[in-house]
Amino acid sequence: MKLKILIILGVLLLVGVSCRDGHDGPLQKEAYGLAVYSPDEKTLTIQDELDTTEVRKKYPTDYASFGFGDEKVDLTQKVYVYFYGNSLEMVVSHLDIDRAPNYQLLAYRLGLRHFWHSLWPYLMPVAVVLLCLGYYCRYRYVLRRFDVKKGLNLVRQAHLLFLALFIVGWFNQSWLGKSDNPVPAALADVQADETVCCLDDNGEIAFLPAAFVPENLAVYRQNGEAFAVAITLTDSERIYFRSTYDEAQTILFRLYWWGMLLLLSSGLLFVAMLMRPRIARVMVVLGLIERYSNATEWLCSVSKKMEEHPEKRLSLLLEMDRRLFTEMVLHSYEELKKDPKALREVEEKFAASGVSLSQFMTEAENYLKSAFETVKPEENGTEDGNPAGGNSETTGGSADGDNNDSGGANGGSADKKGGA
C-alpha cells in the first residue's frame, strides 16, 4: 500500500513539473539593441532602443539563458532581453516574442498531432498488457514451485521495473529525439492536392489543399507535414518553432508514459490480488511441511494418486483442502493470540454458540497430528487415495469443513478418533 501511495505521489509530482516551465511570472520584454557580454563579471551591457530615458543598461547574467531552445545568439546583432516577472532569470535572444502567437499555437498543435500519429500511443498499451501477462505467468510459475525466494525476487523486480520506467519517462527527451528537420524549411514545391495546416491572422487553424492556401501565407514543412503561417519566419523564429514543436511532443509523451505507468501499477496490483488465494494456499502448504516431517511425502502421494486415478480426484482434493483449511485455522489462531482483545471477542462468539474455542483448536491440532504423525510415510495412502486409519468417513465430512469450522476441523477430529 505504501508503494502504491509513493508511486501516485511521484507521478503527480512529475506531471506537475512537466506541465510548468520552471519560471515564476510571465516573460516580459526589458530591452532591445546591441549588447556586450562580460564573462568575467557575468554581466550584459546593452544600448536599449526601447527606453529613451535610460539608454545604457547593465544586467547580471548569473541566472540568464542565451537563446530559446537551440538558438545560437550572435551578439554582433541586436538582441532582446526578457525577464520572468521580477526575477533575475532572463533570456537573451534575437526572437521577438510579440510575433510568437502567430505561429506558437500551430507549433503545439502540430507537435501533439504528430505524437498521436506516431507508434508510441499504440506500443505503450501493448507493452503494459504484455508486462501484466508476464507478471501473471511468472507469479503462477513461482507459486507452482513453492519458491518463496523467487517470489520475493519477483516483487523486487517489479519495484526496479517501475524505477527504470520512471527514469526513462523523465529523461525521454535524450532519446526521443528532436524533429527530423533542424528547423522548418520554406517550400516551393507543394503539390496541389497536398493538405496544408494553415494558421490565419485570427489564430484559426484549418486544413486546406495546397491549391487553396491564401497567397499571403508562408508555407513551411515540419516532419514531412506542410503548414502555413501569416508571417515570414526569421531564422530565430524557425528554431523557436521547432523547439516549441518538440516541447509539445515531449510533454504529451511524458503524460502518456506516466498514465501507462499508473495503468501498469493497477494491472500488477490486480494480478497480486488475483493470486492472493494461491499465495495463502502456498503458505499453508509450507507451514504443513515445516510442522510435519511426512507432509511432503503425503502431498506427493496425493498428487501421484490423482494422476493414476482421475475418477477419485474430487475426494482427494476434498481431503487435501480439509487438511489445508485446518492448518489455516490453526495459523489464524496463533496470529489471533497476539491481539488479546480480538481473541476475547472470538472466544465470546464461540461460547455463545456453545463451543469452546480452545477445545476446538485442540481438536483441530489433534486431527492434523493423527493425520500426519501417527501414519508412517510408506502408509500415507491406500488404494482409494485416502490416508490410512479409516479416513473414508473423514473425506465424506470434508465438504462441510470448507464452509464450517466446527464441521471441518472438529468433526474431522471426532471421525478420525472413531476410525482409530
Side-chain angles (χ1 to χ4, degrees):
M1 187 63 183
K2 292 182 180 179
L3 175 63
K4 183 180 179 181
I5 294 175
L6 289 176
I7 291 175
I8 293 175
L9 292 177
V11 169
L12 293 176
L13 175 62
L14 293 177
V15 169
V17 171
S18 178
C19 291
R20 65 186 299 270
D21 57 12
H23 303 286
D24 296 324
L27 195 63
Q28 298 176 347
K29 188 181 295 184
E30 282 289 319
Y32 172 72
L34 290 173
V36 177
Y37 173 64
S38 173
D40 296 331
E41 298 179 0
K42 291 186 177 181
T43 58
L44 183 77
T45 304
I46 185 171
Q47 294 293 118
D48 188 8
E49 299 179 6
L50 303 178
D51 192 345
T52 57
T53 58
E54 186 182 358
V55 178
R56 185 180 177 85
K57 295 181 178 180
K58 193 174 184 179
Y59 298 105
T61 59
D62 299 81
Y63 304 99
S65 301
F66 287 82
F68 288 99
D70 297 332
E71 180 188 6
K72 305 299 181 182
V73 177
D74 182 5
L75 293 179
T76 61
Q77 302 178 15
K78 294 180 180 181
V79 296
Y80 290 92
V81 176
Y82 301 99
F83 271 80
Y84 287 100
N86 296 322
S87 172
L88 289 177
E89 297 176 86
M90 70 179 189
V91 179
V92 180
S93 172
H94 297 293
L95 179 70
D96 184 359
I97 61 171
D98 291 338
R99 287 164 51 99
N102 295 323
Y103 56 85
Q104 194 172 29
L105 175 62
L106 183 60
Y108 262 95
R109 287 286 296 270
L110 286 177
L112 300 179
R113 173 183 168 84
H114 285 173
F115 173 80
W116 287 113
H117 285 77
S118 66
L119 292 177
W120 289 113
Y122 309 98
L123 290 178
M124 283 191 273
V126 172
V128 167
V129 173
L130 291 179
L131 286 173
C132 289
L133 287 176
Y135 194 67
Y136 173 75
C137 294
R138 183 65 176 171
Y139 236 129
R140 284 177 58 91
Y141 174 82
V142 169
L143 294 180
R144 195 173 297 169
R145 298 298 187 278
F146 298 106
D147 196 328
V148 178
K149 184 178 180 180
K150 285 186 178 180
L152 295 175
N153 289 336
L154 180 63
V155 176
R156 295 191 188 100
Q157 290 167 8
H159 293 177
L160 292 176
L161 172 66
F162 269 103
L163 178 61
L165 292 179
F166 270 120
I167 293 174
V168 169
W170 178 251
F171 294 104
N172 70 296
Q173 65 270 22
S174 63
W175 56 271
L176 186 61
K178 302 290 186 180
S179 56
D180 292 342
N181 299 323
V183 293
L187 292 181
D189 56 348
V190 180
Q191 301 298 323
D193 58 346
E194 184 176 355
T195 301
V196 180
C197 183
C198 302
L199 179 71
D200 60 20
D201 295 329
N202 299 324
E204 299 293 333
I205 295 178
F207 291 89
L208 301 174
F212 295 94
V213 175
E215 294 182 358
N216 65 322
L217 299 184
V219 181
Y220 298 87
R221 186 180 296 276
Q222 183 71 58
N223 269 20
E225 183 168 341
F227 66 93
V229 291
I231 59 174
T232 301
L233 300 180
T234 64
D235 290 341
S236 297
E237 288 172 335
R238 291 159 68 182
I239 293 173
Y240 186 57
F241 182 98
R242 200 286 311 277
S243 299
T244 305
Y245 170 91
D246 290 330
E247 181 184 359
Q249 282 194 317
T250 301
I251 290 176
L252 188 55
F253 177 90
R254 285 180 177 176
L255 293 175
Y256 198 80
W257 184 276
W258 292 325
M260 290 297 102
L261 286 186
L262 284 176
L263 186 61
L264 177 61
S265 173
S266 301
L268 297 187
L269 288 174
F270 175 76
V271 170
M273 292 178 63
L274 188 66
M275 303 304 291
R276 186 175 297 172
R278 298 193 181 189
I279 295 173
R281 189 182 182 92
V282 168
M283 297 308 295
V284 171
V285 172
L286 293 176
L288 279 176
I289 294 175
E290 183 178 359
R291 289 179 60 184
Y292 304 102
S293 59
N294 58 348
T296 304
E297 289 83 351
W298 172 73
L299 288 169
C300 293
S301 173
V302 173
S303 176
K304 183 177 180 181
K305 288 184 181 298
M306 281 193 292
E307 294 179 0
E308 295 176 352
H309 305 283
E311 71 281 358
K312 298 180 180 179
R313 181 182 179 87
L314 179 59
S315 62
L316 292 168
L317 285 175
L318 288 174
E319 174 60 27
M320 182 184 293
D321 285 342
R322 184 174 184 180
R323 295 195 188 185
L324 294 179
F325 179 76
T326 306
E327 171 65 19
M328 188 181 300
V329 170
L330 292 172
H331 177 74
S332 300
Y333 182 61
E334 293 299 324
E335 293 295 324
L336 193 62
K337 288 181 179 179
K338 299 177 182 179
D339 188 352
K341 183 178 179 181
L343 179 60
R344 282 195 304 271
E345 292 179 358
V346 175
E347 287 177 340
E348 290 173 359
K349 291 180 180 180
F350 268 76
S353 61
V355 180
S356 170
L357 178 61
S358 59
Q359 182 182 357
F360 174 80
M361 293 302 169
T362 301
E363 292 178 353
E365 188 170 358
N366 290 337
Y367 162 68
L368 283 182
K369 287 182 178 180
S370 64
F372 286 106
E373 295 182 352
T374 61
V375 181
K376 295 180 181 179
E378 61 271 13
E379 296 175 354
N380 262 344
T382 59
E383 282 191 9
D384 60 358
N386 290 320
N391 253 350
S392 57
E393 294 184 15
T394 301
T395 304
S398 64
D400 294 333
D402 290 335
N403 303 312
N404 188 319
D405 291 352
S406 61
N410 193 7
S413 178
D415 289 345
K416 187 69 183 177
K417 291 176 181 177

